Amino acid sequence: MNILQFINQNLNYDLTSTEDLPFSVKEKSLSVGKILTDYGQLETKIYFLKKGLIQISINHNDQERILDFVFEGNFFASLTSMLIKKPSDVQIIAITDIQIEVFDYSELEKAYTHSLLANQLGRFALEKIYIQNTNREKDLLLKTAEQRYLDLLQKRPDIISLLPIHKIAKYLGIHPESLSRIRKSIIS
Amino acid sequence: MNILQFINQNLNYDLTSTEDLPFSVKEKSLSVGKILTDYGQLETKIYFLKKGLIQISINHNDQERILDFVFEGNFFASLTSMLIKKPSDVQIIAITDIQIEVFDYSELEKAYTHSLLANQLGRFALEKIYIQNTNREKDLLLKTAEQRYLDLLQKRPDIISLLPIHKIAKYLGIHPESLSRIRKSIIS
């Protein structure tokens, strides 16, 4: 999926070219390991993930915690940094080779003053992110690491096979040894 | 502040009447203790707090946890319930007498298909809520209960004087006895 398809599908448009958008979109192919937004950097771009997998992490007491993975067909950015124009406290990194579309937040901001489409897109994309974040928070509050691992296994078996154990453990917020125990108890 | 002032101030409009809005707004005065949205209820309304104080709480293992307070000049609702049209897992309650403005989400949703203003408002209000929620999460992750109590004392001394200790403790996520110790250590 690309931005045009995202808009047509979710906002009832029938656009045929990115020229129809109130901001200019660039396509990029990047290699695994590429940092799109680093800790301390001001976020000025908005990304759309066409292919691959993205990791968003935060540093807490020198311990890295994986906040989230971004899957194909979703927008991503260091949102708080972008919105309040302060340095990012998250890092956004490609954990596979990726294909993205990217545009400048400054162009979107200008479009917000007059473009119905820009505002519909901003509103809808943010609603989607809000729902995802709330579900993640709720899972963290209400579910055990084992339940969350089983959820991930069911919803995203591709992630489990793509990622090394220590990354999955960082996402679940547990030690790799605890994850190994969980995996063994599931198999047995 | 009311909805019109919120729009004029934040979105560069110059509206003079709620008749100019693409949805119909009602004013209400309600008494302390009034539940606006209860656990399990489908959220269909959006509220704007003109006067008073609102509490948003969640139940976890039969323990009530205060997620947030809403202050004057802000929109509120059980957002996830409203957006995904599922029963609310939060309760919204007036903890002082309140004055609110209220409108139907269904009217806003219809306006989203054609109204620039409706989308600008939805987008901007959600951006504001997103920033607040992210800051709250970060505080929960990075700050001690004592630091968070000091923050509240500095930013919102009115809350500290309005609320019984057990409510502040529920918000900080600690036992009332721990809060008493923190208060004593600050005074001494």
Side-chain angles (χ1 to χ4, degrees):
Chain A
M1 191 186 281
N2 58 29
I3 294 180
L4 271 197
Q5 289 164 334
F6 182 94
I7 290 172
N8 289 341
Q9 195 168 307
N10 293 303
L11 298 167
N12 280 319
Y13 279 80
D14 204 12
L15 308 178
T16 52
S17 158
T18 53
E19 309 264 308
D20 298 333
L21 297 175
F23 44 82
S24 54
V25 172
K26 278 184 204 139
E27 297 225 26
K28 279 190 183 177
S29 292
L30 300 168
S31 300
V32 54
K34 171 74 183 175
I35 294 172
L36 288 99
T37 307
D38 209 350
Y39 298 117
Q41 188 183 326
L42 182 70
E43 183 63 277
T44 60
K45 309 260 185 219
I46 299 176
Y47 305 96
F48 186 87
L49 187 61
K50 285 176 67 180
K51 279 268 171 228
L53 191 57
I54 292 290
Q55 169 190 300
I56 303 181
S57 53
I58 193 165
N59 255 319
H60 175 216
N61 291 340
D62 282 335
Q63 286 235 318
E64 189 162 75
R65 175 80 191 258
I66 297 176
L67 275 185
D68 223 343
F69 299 110
V70 180
F71 304 108
E72 292 173 5
N74 286 286
F75 285 96
F76 63 98
S78 178
L79 263 184
T80 316
S81 168
M82 184 187 94
L83 293 172
I84 65 173
K85 302 185 196 305
K86 292 257 170 82
S88 175
D89 47 21
V90 301
Q91 185 197 60
I92 302 178
I93 188 167
I95 51 175
T96 64
D97 290 347
I98 56 168
Q99 284 176 38
I100 54 172
E101 290 175 317
V102 55
F103 55 96
D104 286 333
Y105 178 55
S106 62
E107 286 190 38
L108 183 67
E109 261 191 308
K110 273 177 211 147
Y112 278 161
T113 60
H114 59 84
S115 161
L116 175 65
L117 172 56
N119 283 281
Q120 286 176 316
L121 179 60
R123 173 190 57 76
F124 182 80
L126 199 56
E127 283 178 2
K128 212 164 168 250
I129 289 170
Y130 181 86
I131 293 165
Q132 284 166 355
N133 286 9
T134 309
N135 284 337
R136 193 189 66 213
E137 274 176 74
K138 220 188 303 169
D139 283 357
L140 274 170
L141 192 69
L142 304 178
K143 293 185 179 175
T144 63
E146 178 164 353
Q147 280 176 306
R148 293 175 57 231
Y149 177 72
L150 287 170
D151 287 352
L152 195 63
L153 200 62
Q154 196 186 5
K155 280 187 224 155
R156 290 285 163 175
D158 49 327
I159 287 225
I160 305 281
S161 59
L162 260 170
L163 292 181
I165 278 202
H166 75 272
K167 271 206 188 294
I168 301 174
K170 269 188 192 172
Y171 172 69
L172 296 171
I174 56 177
H175 281 276
E177 297 78 38
S178 310
L179 180 55
S180 295
R181 271 196 300 277
I182 289 173
R183 285 159 76 119
K184 271 181 209 147
S185 77
I186 290 168
I187 294 163
S188 68
Chain B
M1 191 187 282
N2 58 29
I3 294 180
L4 271 196
Q5 289 165 333
F6 183 95
I7 291 172
N8 288 342
Q9 195 168 308
N10 293 303
L11 299 168
N12 280 317
Y13 279 80
D14 204 12
L15 308 178
T16 51
S17 159
T18 52
E19 310 264 307
D20 299 332
L21 297 176
F23 44 82
S24 54
V25 172
K26 278 184 205 138
E27 297 227 24
K28 280 190 183 176
S29 292
L30 300 168
S31 300
V32 54
K34 170 76 183 174
I35 295 173
L36 288 99
T37 307
D38 210 350
Y39 298 118
Q41 187 183 325
L42 182 71
E43 183 63 278
T44 59
K45 309 259 183 219
I46 299 176
Y47 305 97
F48 186 87
L49 188 61
K50 287 175 66 180
K51 278 271 170 227
L53 192 56
I54 292 289
Q55 169 190 301
I56 302 180
S57 53
I58 194 166
N59 254 319
H60 174 218
N61 292 341
D62 282 335
Q63 287 236 319
E64 189 161 74
R65 176 77 190 261
I66 296 176
L67 276 185
D68 224 343
F69 299 110
V70 180
F71 303 108
E72 292 172 6
N74 286 286
F75 285 97
F76 63 99
S78 179
L79 263 185
T80 316
S81 168
M82 183 186 94
L83 293 172
I84 63 172
K85 301 185 197 302
K86 293 256 170 83
S88 175
D89 47 20
V90 300
Q91 185 196 60
I92 302 178
I93 188 168
I95 51 175
T96 64
D97 290 346
I98 57 169
Q99 284 175 37
I100 54 172
E101 290 175 319
V102 56
F103 55 97
D104 286 334
Y105 178 54
S106 60
E107 287 191 36
L108 183 66
E109 261 190 309
K110 273 178 211 146
Y112 277 161
T113 60
H114 59 84
S115 161
L116 176 65
L117 171 57
N119 283 281
Q120 286 176 316
L121 179 61
R123 173 189 56 77
F124 182 80
L126 199 56
E127 282 178 3
K128 211 164 170 247
I129 289 170
Y130 181 87
I131 293 166
Q132 283 166 355
N133 285 10
T134 309
N135 284 336
R136 192 189 67 210
E137 275 177 74
K138 219 186 307 168
D139 283 357
L140 274 170
L141 192 68
L142 304 177
K143 293 185 179 175
T144 63
E146 177 163 353
Q147 280 176 308
R148 293 175 57 232
Y149 178 74
L150 287 170
D151 286 352
L152 196 63
L153 199 62
Q154 197 185 7
K155 281 187 222 154
R156 290 283 165 178
D158 48 327
I159 287 227
I160 305 281
S161 60
L162 261 170
L163 291 182
I165 279 201
H166 75 273
K167 273 206 187 291
I168 301 173
K170 269 189 191 173
Y171 172 69
L172 296 171
I174 56 177
H175 281 277
E177 297 78 36
S178 310
L179 180 55
S180 294
R181 271 197 299 277
I182 289 173
R183 287 159 75 117
K184 270 182 209 148
S185 78
I186 290 168
I187 295 164
S188 68

